[in-house]
Amino acid sequence: MKQHPYYPTTLDIPHYVPNDKSTIQILLIAGSFMSFIIAMCYAISRKSTTSLLRLTWFVVCGFLHLGFESYWLFHKNTIAGQNDLLAQLWKEYAHGDSRYMIADDLLTTLESITIFIWGPICLISAYYIWRGSPRQYFFQLIVSLFHLFSCSLYFADLPDAIYCDPNPIYFWIYFVGFNSPWIIIPLVLITQSYRHIDRALVIKTKSK
């Protein structure tokens, strides 16, 4: 069995090729890309934009779902042996969850739904937030419910975390830290959406 750095060590990843970029280089590239998206959202925001923070959140989610995650879906069987930039980003992240190196069935299902349904809805939400349309709260509610549901399923592995490197950095930062925003932020957005929709229904009812 060919050697690889992932856990459990019994995983069979025969085509694995080590990254040729360091962890720092990979994280700097990822950070630079995220900074670019944040700056872009700031640049395109206008007076009618309801919330720059929510606009940025849904644009980031849309780009991650339709770009980064779709790359994994279409290369999941060969990604461990590739060394282009996105493959190296995935191989680095896989220290926190090696299921991404073995085309895990649960992840394949979740990622497929995320890419083809929720990715576009994230961008629709961002568009309505950018315009200041009340429709934003409907789409925001729908996609946030799914984010919460899918991330909860993803964290079902949390008690054992057998696919995570035992190094605390990989567990707490990669596995927990990089994914927990899709638990925390959706909870906030679901609450906000409910209040706005409820208020609108009350006003409509009273006006009859």
Side-chain angles (χ1 to χ4, degrees):
M1 186 179 295
K2 190 170 183 178
Q3 295 297 312
H4 58 74
Y6 304 111
Y7 285 80
T9 56
T10 54
L11 282 180
D12 184 19
I13 313 177
H15 52 294
Y16 171 74
V17 174
N19 283 346
D20 58 23
K21 288 183 173 58
S22 68
T23 298
I24 293 177
Q25 287 177 308
I26 291 171
L27 294 179
L28 283 174
I29 291 171
S32 298
F33 178 71
M34 297 297 285
S35 298
F36 171 76
I37 293 179
I38 293 171
M40 180 188 71
C41 289
Y42 179 80
I44 67 172
S45 65
R46 57 184 191 174
K47 289 183 179 180
S48 61
T49 299
T50 311
S51 168
L52 179 58
L53 288 176
R54 288 191 294 118
L55 172 66
T56 303
W57 167 252
F58 284 113
V59 170
V60 167
C61 287
F63 272 91
L64 286 176
H65 296 337
L66 295 173
F68 188 54
E69 292 169 67
S70 66
Y71 176 91
W72 177 82
L73 184 65
F74 294 117
H75 297 85
K76 58 188 173 66
N77 294 313
T78 59
I79 195 169
Q82 298 174 212
N83 250 353
D84 54 83
L85 177 58
L86 290 179
Q88 292 195 56
L89 283 167
W90 274 114
K91 285 192 286 183
E92 179 61 32
Y93 173 73
H95 287 288
D97 189 349
S98 62
R99 290 177 294 178
Y100 282 101
M101 291 294 102
I102 57 172
D104 179 79
D105 290 339
L106 172 62
L107 295 186
T108 298
T109 301
L110 290 176
E111 294 290 3
S112 297
I113 297 171
T114 299
I115 292 162
F116 294 110
I117 300 177
W118 308 117
I121 294 181
C122 281
L123 296 183
I124 292 172
S125 299
Y127 171 72
Y128 282 127
I129 291 169
W130 177 72
R131 285 192 59 188
S133 168
R135 292 188 178 96
Q136 62 186 279
Y137 298 107
F138 170 76
F139 289 102
Q140 173 180 285
L141 176 62
I142 297 300
V143 74
S144 295
L145 283 169
F146 175 78
H147 278 155
L148 183 61
F149 173 72
S150 63
C151 203
S152 297
L153 285 180
Y154 181 78
F155 274 137
D157 185 53
L158 188 60
D160 297 322
I162 61 172
Y163 293 100
C164 181
D165 190 305
N167 186 314
I169 291 177
Y170 293 129
F171 178 76
W172 289 109
I173 297 180
Y174 282 38
F175 185 62
V176 177
F178 286 171
N179 292 287
S180 57
W182 279 269
I183 293 285
I184 298 168
I185 296 177
L187 282 172
V188 174
L189 296 179
I190 289 168
T191 302
Q192 182 194 54
S193 298
Y194 169 78
R195 289 175 177 171
H196 276 272
I197 293 171
D198 180 65
R199 189 181 305 122
L201 290 173
V202 169
I203 293 172
K204 184 174 179 62
T205 301
K206 288 182 178 179
S207 66
K208 288 184 177 180

